[in-house]
Amino acid sequence: METTLNARSSLADWLALRETLAIETRLFIDGAYRESANGQRFDCISPIDSRKLCEVAYAGAADVDAAVAAARRAFDTGVWADRNPRERKAVLLRFAAALRAHQDELALLETLDAGKPIADTTTVDIPGAAYCLEWFAEAIDKTGGEVAAADHHLLGLVTREPVGVVSAIVPWNFPLLMAAWKFAPALAAGNSVVLKPSEKSPLSAVRVAQLAHEAGIPAGVFNVVPGDGETGKRLALHQDVDCVAFTGSTGVGKQIMQYAAQSNLKRVWLELGGKSPNIVLPDCADLDRAARTAASAIFYNMGEMCTAGSRLLVHRSIRERFMAKLLEAARAWQPGNPLDPATTMGAIIDRAQQERVLALIGSGRVEATLLTGGKTAREETGGFYIEPTIFETTPASRIAREEIFGPVLAVMTFDTLDEAIRMANDSEYGLAAAVWTADLATAHDVSRRLRAGTVWVNCYDEGGDMNFPFGGYRQSGNGRDKSLHALEKYTELKSTLLRLR
Ligand code: NAD
């Protein structure tokens, strides 16, 4: 399929491309596609209209073993790990260029598979994954070790070495981007990778395996094993996996830690859920902008965002003015056909997630006041859509405490700054937070007091650059994706002491 033309701009263009799309559905192990050992496959359903897109090979026990063995062999031979970082960089830059060249194909796969608006997959998901590869490729030949302070008769070197076989287990909300946040630094550092995409969105990962191979990543260094939680569990329990880098729910993250403890104490890095507070102080200089941003913080990507600004805390003195602006801003977010470039909100990932979100909306109807939304949409399509939904509520309600992972905002009011900070920090999570204020000292003070891995001031979800570490406090996880700090997850630290005399 010709996919190097990335210039599609209308619904008709995307529908036409969909007609020509050939979907790769097999596992990728040791440099080649293959069926699963026992021939098992699972259905891949598009949330856009609940139509079956294809059947995907399911990685069972034998396939997981084969992928890990291939990764181990490749690592031990040094075919990738021992290459000069400059050479790894060149290969990863070619891989990134291939993602960019195939952007339309990959964006379409992502939109069909996960229901995300094509306007987002073409501007965020696919270019973001390419940029992530480029960033770590460019970084890896510019990082080095340390010479430690030591007695004069000693030379002490502190170096970083690849950890070995890294398994990346990723979710469905940004299928390729979340995967790239793991495999880009892991590959750059010289590891072999076994990637397990979510069973709800495996197609882009399966496809890019071939692009990685064509870019020059040696056989066995990058493997893709689609499957469900059982497949992930096998990887997390595997004796020959050295590290699991996981993005997903807090519940599964806890299980992964247990699997590591039950097996080989592999390194476990967790990027988990969130219930992020967005605080609007009375001295906010631009309430219109704050309201528009509060809406996008919860409705972008259908609220299927780990960083979703799902708790909006508004000072009582500006509540009325602010809520009017927020409800107006919410009107810009309406579910539409994800293949239409004008659409801002697509489909919820599947029926189970749609039902989960609706159940939480149901609890909100009992415990809180519904201000807008609350219903399914576009039912005639057969797809899974939910209206942007806003509740006014109190901190004790379920919708104010539980991660919903859907387009549902819980608005609360406060009277003092201390109360706002107490409410903001009153959560098992600590992924992100935001504050809106015109006062620089207040901004610094609030940022310091918020227990979250990222704090935005007078903005939300900014920082598309790879330069900022991303991850959570508390039960939002450990370790950080993005930035040079991500390399810490995929490397062991070694001290070498040389006696000179
Ligand atoms: P999930 O935890 O259900 O699944 C994530 C991945 O783990 C999938 O690939 C799944 O197949 C696999 N898995 C499921 N059970 C497993 C098990 N027992 N052992 C090993 N692997 C298993 O999460 P999800 O529904 O795919 O994604 C939504 C969650 O991801 C939300 O909680 C969201 O906040 C979180 N998330 C976090 C970040 C972040 O960076 N902090 C980013 C995106 C999403």
Side-chain angles (χ1 to χ4, degrees):
M1 196 182 80
E2 182 50 67
T3 53
T4 48
L5 284 174
N6 294 321
R8 288 166 183 88
S9 59
S10 70
L11 174 60
D13 287 343
W14 290 103
L15 291 172
L17 184 63
R18 187 177 69 176
E19 293 310 308
T20 65
L21 191 65
I23 301 179
E24 178 54 65
T25 63
R26 292 170 293 171
L27 319 174
F28 192 86
I29 295 175
D30 209 7
Y33 284 114
R34 61 165 84 164
E35 294 296 341
S36 58
N38 64 6
Q40 203 179 332
R41 304 179 76 82
F42 62 98
D43 288 347
C44 187
I45 305 290
S46 175
I48 293 179
D49 49 17
S50 72
R51 268 193 276 171
K52 184 162 137 182
L53 289 169
C54 56
E55 289 179 5
V56 176
Y58 176 88
D63 307 303
V64 166
D65 285 348
V68 174
R72 173 62 57 197
R73 268 195 312 278
F75 185 73
D76 287 349
T77 59
V79 61
W80 180 247
D82 292 351
R83 296 266 282 274
N84 184 316
R86 179 163 38 84
E87 295 170 16
R88 290 203 299 270
K89 162 177 142 177
V91 172
L92 292 176
L93 288 177
R94 280 203 298 275
F95 184 10
L99 295 192
R100 291 195 188 278
H102 291 79
Q103 175 172 296
D104 276 7
E105 177 198 356
L106 292 167
L108 180 59
L109 273 178
E110 213 76 307
T111 289
L112 292 173
D113 205 6
K116 299 165 67 84
I118 197 78
D120 296 345
T121 52
T122 49
T123 55
V124 175
D125 293 70
I126 310 307
Y131 166 55
C132 177
L133 272 167
E134 288 157 357
W135 198 93
F136 283 104
E138 289 292 357
I140 202 63
D141 64 347
K142 298 166 194 73
T143 53
E146 305 154 28
V147 178
D151 277 343
H152 279 180
H153 71 275
L154 282 176
L155 176 62
L157 304 181
V158 182
T159 50
R160 287 199 171 270
E161 297 179 348
V163 71
V165 175
V166 172
S167 176
I169 302 177
V170 295
W172 43 261
N173 59 337
F174 289 82
L176 186 59
L177 188 59
M178 291 300 99
W181 284 11
K182 316 278 187 217
F183 67 63
L187 290 171
N191 297 281
S192 295
V193 171
V194 180
L195 168 63
K196 194 205 82 65
S198 168
E199 64 276 28
K200 300 179 185 184
S201 59
L203 300 182
S204 55
V206 168
R207 174 68 181 102
V208 303
Q210 176 75 16
L211 300 179
H213 187 64
E214 288 168 4
I217 292 188
V221 172
F222 186 62
N223 309 275
V224 179
V225 289
D228 58 6
E230 267 308 298
T231 311
K233 180 177 176 181
R234 288 200 170 96
L235 285 162
L237 277 170
H238 207 289
Q239 292 291 352
D240 213 20
V241 169
D242 299 301
C243 164
V244 171
F246 174 79
T247 296
S249 60
T250 294
V252 173
K254 288 180 182 180
Q255 286 177 295
I256 297 218
M257 277 199 152
Q258 291 178 10
Y259 302 146
Q262 286 162 25
S263 52
N264 61 347
L265 282 181
K266 54 181 67 65
R267 277 92 187 97
V268 172
W269 300 109
L270 304 173
E271 300 288 344
L272 307 176
K275 189 76 186 175
S276 299
N278 183 13
I279 307 171
V280 189
L281 297 180
D283 71 339
C284 167
D286 187 345
L287 280 189
D288 289 306
R289 189 182 164 83
R292 279 197 310 276
T293 308
S296 66
I298 183 64
F299 300 133
Y300 179 76
N301 209 48
M302 296 68 74
E304 293 168 346
M305 298 280 291
C306 51
T307 53
S310 51
R311 291 187 293 148
L312 179 65
L313 312 184
V314 183
H315 191 267
R316 197 176 304 279
S317 66
I318 54 169
R319 181 201 156 274
E320 214 159 305
R321 258 189 318 147
F322 190 79
M323 291 311 291
K325 292 176 191 296
L326 176 67
L327 288 168
E328 179 59 31
R331 287 150 58 102
W333 297 87
Q334 293 303 328
N337 184 346
L339 289 171
D340 184 341
T343 292
T344 51
M345 267 178 102
I348 302 294
I349 186 72
D350 64 3
R351 188 174 299 285
Q353 179 67 10
Q354 187 196 36
E355 283 169 1
R356 203 181 155 266
V357 175
L358 290 173
L360 278 151
I361 288 175
S363 88
R365 286 179 191 277
V366 177
E367 290 185 306
T369 307
L370 180 66
L371 300 183
T372 187
K375 296 193 298 296
T376 56
R378 293 173 54 78
E379 272 160 20
E380 70 286 358
T381 62
F384 315 121
Y385 300 84
I386 295 185
E387 295 173 342
T389 299
I390 302 177
F391 283 103
E392 205 156 22
T393 189
T394 53
S397 64
R398 263 186 85 193
I399 54 166
R401 306 203 72 77
E402 289 183 29
E403 184 184 48
I404 299 177
F405 225 58
V408 183
L409 179 62
V411 184
M412 290 162 273
T413 39
F414 62 87
D415 291 300
T416 66
L417 183 59
D418 284 348
E419 184 189 5
I421 289 174
R422 238 189 348 266
M423 284 163 74
N425 285 336
D426 179 20
S427 170
E428 67 193 45
Y429 298 111
L431 191 56
V435 60
W436 294 78
T437 175
D439 186 81
L440 191 58
T442 306
H444 277 291
D445 181 44
V446 174
S447 171
R448 184 182 54 78
R449 295 167 69 190
L450 288 171
R451 305 294 294 162
T454 298
V455 176
W456 288 290
V457 179
N458 296 333
C459 60
Y460 205 99
D461 276 329
E462 299 246 4
D465 288 340
M466 289 307 294
N467 311 359
F468 299 96
F470 181 87
Y473 284 27
R474 299 172 166 164
Q475 295 192 45
S476 287
N478 62 351
R480 295 294 183 265
D481 279 337
K482 302 172 70 182
S483 83
L484 292 179
H485 295 283
L487 293 170
E488 293 161 16
K489 307 205 292 195
Y490 306 111
T491 49
E492 294 283 15
L493 206 49
K494 177 177 280 182
S495 294
T496 304
L497 294 111
L498 290 86
R499 190 179 174 94
L500 304 175
R501 290 194 282 281

